[in-house]
Amino acid sequence: MSLDIQKIREDFPILKQQIYKRPLIYFDNAASTQKPRQVIDAIRYYYESDNCNIHRGVHYLSVKATEAYEEARREIRHFINAKSTHEIIFTKGTTESLNLVASSFGKKFIRPGDEVITTIMEHHSNFVPWQQMCLEREARLRVAGIDDQGRLNMEELEGMINEKTRMIALTHVSNVLGTINPVSEIIALAHRHDIPVLIDGAQGISHLPIDVQELDCDFYCFSGHKMYAPMGIGVLYGKERWLEALPPYQMGGEMIREVFVDRTTFNDLPFKFEAGTPNVEGVAGLRSAVKYLQELGMGEIAAYENSLLHYATAKLAPVKDIRIYGTSSQKASLISFLIGNIHPYDAGMVIDKMGIAVRTGHHCAQPLIDYLKIAGTIRTSFAFYNTIEEIDALVKAVYRVREMFS
Ligand SMILES: Cc1ncc(COP(=O)(O)O)c(C=O)c1O
């Protein structure tokens, strides 16, 4: 069944607006997606009928809010096919999920001389926490490179695995190159050596159907706001045996079982990792976004976004002096490019004035940008509410940029 894009666009009130007297074209979906009315309504409903602190009350509203929160956890478990709700931890987003694992895993399992493997294409939030943890614990961070199509150098990564390797942490989809990494292959390889694998799913979750049991990853992290849900809510999936083994990340209410003056015992999963009052309205919005995505179908979304990617690539490739960064055949729906030696910021400003939102700069991936020896890129990233006509407008804007600066 194909998607009815015009009907879908009706669900996104923000897309109706005009900017600079032109219809808004939103191609910054890799930074954050827009929210459908259903998600906005779920948040309003929460405040109009359920708002209350959860888990700690016996009164009607507290019980109702707690039930809705825990139902959301069950639905998210189902969405990514985790084995148990104990494996679904609500966090502020991918960044907090990644910091949690790097910090707790590092404390428990990383010793001087140990090694962690990551890649050159990581977002800072899956790079800096591991880098800093390795510096603190006198461990070594090893960084696998890429080839000229922006694909991970698998031979190099495999060659880095040895008896000192404690973790492989990598992104599912590069937010700069769009490359979809062969994570199943890497997980199988790592598990042959008893090494756990963490996947940064920030760019994977909204484009690909995710089944964590089939992937067999040990951790998978994602953000609500990149999958049509609110900001400030995200998920850490972890295999129960790993989450049981890790020490708590933050201390406070809810994560404790008993507190004495001289010691504390900690709560069961998932609460051990959810200290303090959680983002309950964020969870309500995330639950609604998951339902929305499931109704459209992740397979249908992936197929449509792929068609946008191929159309846009075919239209942009012939532009004189354009260089596209990331040309793997396994790619999500984003294109990073430069035109001649035009600075990405200059190009971005002109494109903006034509009503089109693209992102320019290093995309929080400075090690990759340095590796590519460039100042940054212009990045256009597509969602299922984007259209072929919008891509035609972008192509026109790119020709205009070339004309203006050449
Ligand atoms: C690949 C990747 N990882 C991590 C993040 C960080 O996500 P957040 O800022 O939602 O925590 C991003 C955000 O752009 C990303 O693209």
Side-chain angles (χ1 to χ4, degrees), residues 30-31 92-96 98 122-123 125-126 171 173-175 200 202-203 223 225-226 363-364 379:
K92 278 195 304 196
T94 310
T95 301
E96 189 175 52
L98 293 166
E122 300 308 312
H123 186 281
S125 62
N126 195 33
T171 192
V173 174
S174 160
N175 67 316
D200 170 354
Q203 298 294 341
S223 298
H225 73 98
K226 291 185 197 285
H363 316 298
C364 296
R379 182 185 71 187

Side-chain angles (χ1 to χ4, degrees), residues 189-209:
L189 170 69
H191 286 176
R192 284 202 288 280
H193 299 266
D194 279 335
I195 300 165
V197 179
L198 171 144
I199 306 292
D200 170 354
Q203 298 294 341
I205 195 77
S206 60
H207 299 296
L208 306 165

Side-chain angles (χ1 to χ4, degrees), residues 16 33 71 79 121 127 164 178 180 206 228 235 254 294 307 321 330 337 341 345-346 375 381 398 404-405:
K16 292 200 172 78
T33 52
E71 181 55 27
F79 183 58
M121 67 171 88
F127 197 88
K164 293 183 255 171
I180 302 173
S206 60
Y228 312 94
V235 171
E254 200 57 37
Q294 282 171 322
S307 71
D321 299 329
Q330 299 302 306
F337 61 97
N341 53 13
Y345 290 130
D346 293 336
S381 50
V398 168
M404 278 180 71
F405 292 97

Side-chain angles (χ1 to χ4, degrees), residues 15 80 177 198 212 217-218 239 242 252 261 268 300 303 306 326 357:
L15 298 178
I80 60 168
L177 306 163
L198 171 144
V212 289
C217 54
D218 300 278
K239 279 186 185 162
W242 278 116
V261 170
D268 294 332
E300 279 76 8
N306 219 19

